[in-house]
Amino acid sequence: MENRRSRRAAAAAVALITALLTLVGALTAPAAAAPPPLPYVHGGQTVPTYSYADAVRESVQVDTHLDSDHDGKPDTVAVDVVRPRTTTRVPVIMEASPYYSCCGRGNESQVKTYDQHGTILSMPLAYDNYFVPRGYAFVAVDLVGTNRSTGCGDVGGPAEIGSVEAVIDWLNGRGTARYRDGRTASPGWTTGRVGMIGKSWDGTLANGVAATGVPGLKTIVPVSGISSWYDYMRLDGVPRATDYPGWLASAVNGRPAGTCDAVQSDLNTAGDDATGDYNDFWAARDYVRDASKVRASVLIAHGLNDQNVFARNFSRWWDALAAHHVPRKLWLHQEGHTDPFDIDRGAWMTMLHRWFDYWLQGIHNGVMSGPKVRVERAPRQWQQQADYPAPGARPVRLGLGAGDGGAGTIDTGRGSGTVTLTDNPNLTETQAVGDPNTARADRAAFLATAFSGTTHLSGTPTVTLRFRSDKPDTELTAKLVDYGTAARDDYLANDLSGIENLATRSCWGESTADDSACYLDTTEIVRTTDYGVLSRGWTDAAHHTGLTRYTPVTPGRWYSITIRLQPQDQLLAAGHHLGLVLSLSDEENTTPSGTGANVTVDLTHSTLSLPVAGATHLGTATTAPRLTGTAPAAPATRSTPTRLLP
């Protein structure tokens, strides 16, 4: 017994001595060496360090597990890389696009060019010129089915998103790729940290890939991007154009003739033009539904007057990201389908530089501090805003009153009376919103008294109507108008961009003989007009029960429906008048099935909900104000095509 106790005591003593020696060793061991500073970081930012002319240029094919063209072979994705010539691993700025050969990128429609061996020679846009010398690689991905990639595009669906995911997997050592001569391509030059950027379809891909939660994607910068393809191709049940998905896929198709015909036909069938319903096809292309999966930070830029990718695509995405606590910032401008690079170039490039330095290089530069939103509320008048909608914005419910042979009223009281509309497929927007005091059978106009002070509109207006129709279906259109002379952005001009080129150029990065970093300067197109359309909204009467089921109305029966207009953020000047215009078919923006319906609206149970931050500055009105000088609009004509490339 005594021996056992002695052995236990000795063992305990040994254990204690061992522990003490381990502790002493840990305390006296030299501290682990700090990682060496990045050679291209000075003064709290990345700086030009590497030669752009001497950069490594590579073209590879990334393997995928997709077979989107159903040829029995996995699709491969063409990827072009420009990276610093250094042994230091660098992060990646990536733009995936269907436009690198068919349509071009940027205001000058640039395409990729290659040398005689098929290796990338010049990239569109200035991202490579500017960021590669600062310690970034730039990677340009040909979307599946386009340029030098195989497969067939499916317009925002699993094949397109999966093809870009495969590239991020390869950059993070989870996939394989080959040079064009068959040699294995290793991504050993990168840290695996990826930031995606791009405008329109390219920005859409950034949204869609982020919604998968793919590891390695650290940030995205979607510019004028789609967050729900239904919200792009359908306007609450109303098709923008027939056979739109297949047409888009064919417009950017880079495969031999006939290869993707069946896929494109299937896209049109699944899109279901006949009903306009939100179905499984659209759900698979609705990234807002998967916002909970987003692990990347998000910097959104969007035009509040974008008539290609409507502003609802940024606002629903922004709200969903907020609900899931995704780090995010927002730039809003008053132009159309335009990149901030062509609106406020210096400020935008400064923001991008700081954003990527923070999220991809880990430089603590304070970019996430301060207000979340930078917004242009009038031409060249930028403001910082804590959030969007503006803090304190709330819906102000306004009533609609029938007029006596002309415009009706908008006021803070309850509505009264009825109005009747007759469908006119040839009604233009200029006719609908111009000269609101003149009676027309094909539209109903309502006017408020003059604003007694500046009113801040921030958020999404809605119009709720109690209506009856003499046909089983009809489109319903609402337009919110600011009546009053002012300088306004002409966002419909120059292919819905709202900008025009100047004769001068500015340079953003280093150039080579084959790849210039210098771009035409631009300016906003601003005109003085008597009124401006603030927001537009459309819906289909047969979707009064919701967007998932086409339910024709019973002629003569009363129904209630809400039209969601596009979000906006503007200051409405004192002395101006708010107007609301209701009509039926709108063939300038949509492709409705014109039914020739006659619709009666019960104004007593119809309302306009206006999102206002601060005071509304509207009073009551017994009769509509008489406006002058509102008949001729500028521009006098409008030719918005219903089929657009996003």
Side-chain angles (χ1 to χ4, degrees):
M1 177 69 71
E2 201 62 39
N3 288 339
R4 274 191 224 156
R5 284 183 187 153
S6 298
R7 285 197 297 270
R8 281 200 297 268
V14 170
L16 177 60
I17 292 170
T18 301
L20 289 171
L21 289 173
T22 301
L23 177 61
V24 170
L27 292 173
T28 58
L38 294 171
Y40 47 83
V41 175
H42 297 282
Q45 65 177 349
T46 57
V47 298
T49 303
Y50 304 106
S51 165
Y52 179 70
D54 193 43
V56 178
R57 290 169 169 79
E58 300 176 307
S59 296
V60 304
Q61 295 290 129
V62 172
D63 299 317
T64 77
H65 299 294
L66 305 165
D67 183 13
S68 57
D69 54 6
H70 310 298
D71 65 354
K73 297 182 292 187
D75 302 339
T76 61
V77 179
V79 177
D80 297 305
V81 179
V82 179
R83 58 184 175 87
R85 193 173 293 279
T86 176
T87 57
T88 301
R89 294 191 176 201
V90 295
V92 168
I93 296 172
M94 173 193 290
E95 182 165 20
S97 178
Y99 295 135
Y100 282 129
S101 63
C102 82
C103 313
R105 302 312 301 125
N107 183 47
E108 299 176 45
S109 301
Q110 294 179 305
V111 297
K112 290 179 179 179
T113 65
Y114 301 92
D115 65 17
Q116 67 272 26
H117 304 295
T119 299
I120 188 68
L121 191 63
S122 69
M123 294 277 204
L125 308 178
Y127 301 130
D128 54 330
N129 309 79
Y130 186 86
F131 284 106
V132 168
R134 288 171 165 81
Y136 292 85
F138 181 69
V139 171
V141 180
D142 291 336
L143 191 60
V144 64
T146 69
N147 201 16
R148 302 201 296 184
S149 293
T150 64
C152 293
D154 59 354
V155 186
E160 290 188 357
I161 302 304
S163 70
V164 183
E165 275 188 276
V167 179
I168 296 175
D169 284 340
W170 169 64
L171 291 169
N172 282 273
R174 301 187 299 267
T176 57
R178 289 160 288 104
Y179 293 108
R180 295 182 65 80
D181 62 7
R183 291 177 296 121
T184 298
S186 167
W189 45 266
T190 178
T191 62
R193 299 176 66 87
V194 178
M196 290 186 66
I197 190 170
K199 172 178 175 270
S200 203
W201 201 327
D202 307 0
T204 303
L205 293 168
N207 286 336
V209 175
T212 69
V214 59
L217 182 61
K218 300 302 181 182
T219 190
I220 62 170
V221 184
V223 176
S224 305
I226 297 166
S227 63
S228 163
W229 282 89
Y230 185 87
D231 284 344
Y232 177 72
M233 293 188 181
R234 296 281 186 269
L235 301 171
D236 284 354
V238 184
R240 289 185 75 173
T242 56
D243 295 335
Y244 207 168
W247 178 83
L248 272 182
S250 66
V252 299
N253 180 47
R255 304 303 308 285
T259 302
C260 296
D261 287 357
V263 172
Q264 293 161 13
S265 178
D266 289 345
L267 292 175
N268 289 333
T269 300
D272 188 15
D273 288 338
T275 68
D277 286 353
Y278 179 96
N279 57 22
D280 290 343
F281 174 84
W282 299 109
R285 293 157 175 79
D286 185 349
Y287 314 131
V288 177
R289 298 170 72 237
D290 291 321
S292 63
K293 299 178 183 177
V294 175
R295 297 294 177 265
S297 61
V298 183
L299 170 60
I300 298 173
H302 212 104
L304 286 161
N305 294 305
D306 192 332
Q307 301 302 293
N308 185 337
V309 179
F310 288 117
R312 183 182 299 168
N313 277 277
F314 94 77
S315 66
R316 291 186 62 231
W317 187 229
W318 176 255
D319 291 344
L321 295 172
H324 296 287
H325 310 290
V326 174
R328 71 206 198 287
K329 286 212 163 188
L330 176 64
W331 273 47
L332 297 174
H333 56 81
Q334 287 295 324
E335 285 68 56
H337 195 59
T338 310
D339 196 308
F341 184 79
D342 295 313
I343 299 171
D344 195 357
R345 189 167 292 179
W348 178 244
M349 291 301 289
T350 298
M351 180 63 179
L352 281 185
H353 187 180
R354 296 183 69 216
W355 186 266
F356 286 136
D357 274 3
Y358 181 86
W359 289 105
L360 298 181
Q361 303 281 7
I363 299 172
H364 296 285
N365 55 19
V367 72
M368 295 306 293
S369 62
K372 290 187 178 72
V373 180
R374 186 174 191 252
V375 58
E376 183 187 26
R377 296 198 188 119
R380 305 182 185 95
Q381 296 179 23
W382 293 87
Q383 300 289 331
Q384 299 290 336
Q385 191 164 283
D387 209 337
Y388 183 84
R394 81 266 180 223
V396 174
R397 186 173 176 177
L398 302 172
L400 306 175
D404 183 13
T409 59
I410 301 173
D411 64 30
T412 54
R414 186 175 181 180
S416 61
T418 62
V419 294
T420 298
L421 308 169
T422 299
D423 188 26
N424 176 10
N426 297 316
L427 179 70
T428 66
E429 183 167 277
T430 299
Q431 293 168 337
V433 303
D435 195 11
N437 292 114
T438 298
R440 293 185 63 110
D442 50 11
R443 67 102 195 263
F446 305 88
L447 295 170
T449 57
F451 289 109
S452 59
T454 301
T455 299
H456 184 188
L457 179 72
S458 184
T460 301
T462 62
V463 179
T464 298
L465 302 177
R466 185 170 185 258
F467 75 98
R468 67 185 179 193
S469 171
D470 65 354
K471 302 290 184 183
D473 193 11
T474 183
E475 181 179 11
L476 300 166
T477 300
K479 297 179 180 180
L480 198 65
V481 188
D482 173 24
Y483 289 102
T485 302
R488 296 181 172 93
D489 284 290
D490 186 359
Y491 52 82
L492 299 176
N494 285 353
D495 296 326
L496 307 183
S497 70
I499 62 168
E500 61 185 354
N501 294 332
L502 301 176
T504 58
R505 289 182 178 270
S506 57
C507 303
W508 299 87
E510 299 180 19
S511 298
T512 66
D514 299 299
D515 195 324
S516 174
C518 304
Y519 291 85
L520 287 170
D521 295 316
T522 59
T523 187
E524 300 175 33
I525 301 174
V526 179
R527 307 186 197 280
T528 298
T529 62
D530 291 329
Y531 63 81
V533 178
L534 295 168
S535 185
R536 302 164 176 85
W538 308 264
T539 194
D540 178 66
H543 285 90
H544 60 94
T545 62
L547 297 177
T548 60
R549 189 173 67 175
Y550 182 84
T551 309
V553 300
T554 301
R557 180 178 171 183
W558 290 101
Y559 295 87
S560 183
I561 198 167
T562 296
I563 305 173
R564 297 182 296 170
L565 282 73
Q566 298 300 319
Q568 186 55 267
D569 195 295
Q570 278 202 32
L571 298 179
L572 307 181
H576 284 205
H577 295 267
L578 180 71
L580 174 68
V581 176
L582 303 177
S583 58
L584 301 181
S585 297
D586 181 4
E587 294 196 358
E588 287 179 326
N589 288 288
T590 68
T591 304
S593 52
T595 62
N598 293 287
V599 171
T600 300
V601 179
D602 172 13
L603 299 175
T604 305
H605 297 94
S606 300
T607 57
L608 165 64
S609 180
L610 198 67
V612 177
T616 308
H617 298 296
L618 279 180
T620 59
T622 55
T623 59
R626 299 293 301 179
L627 306 186
T628 60
T630 57
T637 60
R638 174 187 170 92
S639 57
T640 305
T642 51
R643 275 186 179 173
L644 299 164
L645 284 169

